[in-house]
Amino acid sequence: QVVLSLAEVSVGRVRLLADGAPLLPERPDLTRDDVASLIAEPAPTTVPALVVYDGRVHQLNGGQLDTALPGPIGNGEVAVQSAASSPDGRRVAVVASDGPRRRLLVGGAEGAVAPVGPEAGTMTRPSWAPSGFEVWTVLDATTVTRAVLDPGGTARVAPVDARELTGLGPVQDLRLSRDGLRVAA
């Protein structure tokens, strides 16, 4: 990461030292070419975009609304405010309103969803990690949280230490990069 970051500001060769000695004795100087194979490239996908219309989740295909997703997130049983599909399209996360409270629901794209984590007065649109097993959101513009899914789809809430970020002020939106190395808020 150090080599790639410095390459962006025209530093061609980097020597990493620990206590004055080369960190990698067999290769003391590194260039972007030396670490190019480590660059995470997101896999191309053809996952249809999701759009929330009238509290229901629809797929957007070719610029036209397709059919609503099956189950409670598409039939109006759940009042959906925002939605995001996992990178592979197999999972969906939605923020749903339940009166004045918001809650995160996660499930399969076939429509079955379950509540995950705490409720909040406000919640940002979900953002998936590239693995498709982690979804992030911000509760009440102050608490960054993530739900980690096991391979079977069961979710648990995991802590995120975002004090430096939230210390700057309220977080109105949060997006993870496609490679999972950066966050925009």
Side-chain angles (χ1 to χ4, degrees):
Q1 187 64 46
V2 172
V3 173
L4 294 174
S5 295
L6 292 173
E8 295 295 320
V9 292
S10 300
V11 175
R13 187 179 318 260
V14 176
R15 179 172 290 169
L16 301 172
L17 302 174
D19 294 326
L23 189 61
L24 303 170
E26 70 282 355
R27 184 173 216 108
D29 293 330
L30 297 170
T31 66
R32 188 181 200 301
D33 292 337
D34 294 324
V35 296
S37 65
L38 302 175
I39 299 172
E41 292 293 330
T45 62
T46 56
V47 176
L50 299 180
V51 64
V52 176
Y53 175 74
D54 198 24
R56 299 170 186 201
V57 181
H58 295 260
Q59 286 183 339
L60 187 63
N61 291 319
Q64 300 294 320
L65 279 179
D66 199 13
T67 58
L69 290 184
I73 62 173
N75 67 15
E77 184 179 323
V78 173
V80 177
Q81 290 194 316
S82 61
S85 181
S86 64
D88 63 6
R90 295 186 331 199
R91 293 184 176 88
V92 65
V94 302
V95 172
S97 62
D98 187 9
R101 306 297 290 166
R102 305 297 173 263
R103 60 187 172 151
L104 180 66
L105 306 173
V106 177
E110 74 285 346
V113 291
V116 175
E119 294 183 359
T122 64
M123 196 174 290
T124 61
R125 179 176 170 243
S127 185
W128 285 93
S131 67
F133 289 101
E134 240 180 73
V135 62
W136 293 46
T137 187
V138 181
L139 312 174
D140 295 324
T142 60
T143 305
V144 179
T145 189
R146 66 187 173 124
V148 179
L149 286 74
D150 66 24
T154 304
R156 65 176 171 76
V157 175
V160 175
D161 183 357
R163 289 178 289 196
E164 285 188 49
L165 175 64
T166 57
L168 297 172
V171 179
Q172 302 299 322
D173 199 7
L174 182 128
R175 309 302 308 148
L176 298 175
S177 65
R178 285 188 255 172
D179 61 9
L181 298 176
R182 295 171 302 278
V183 63

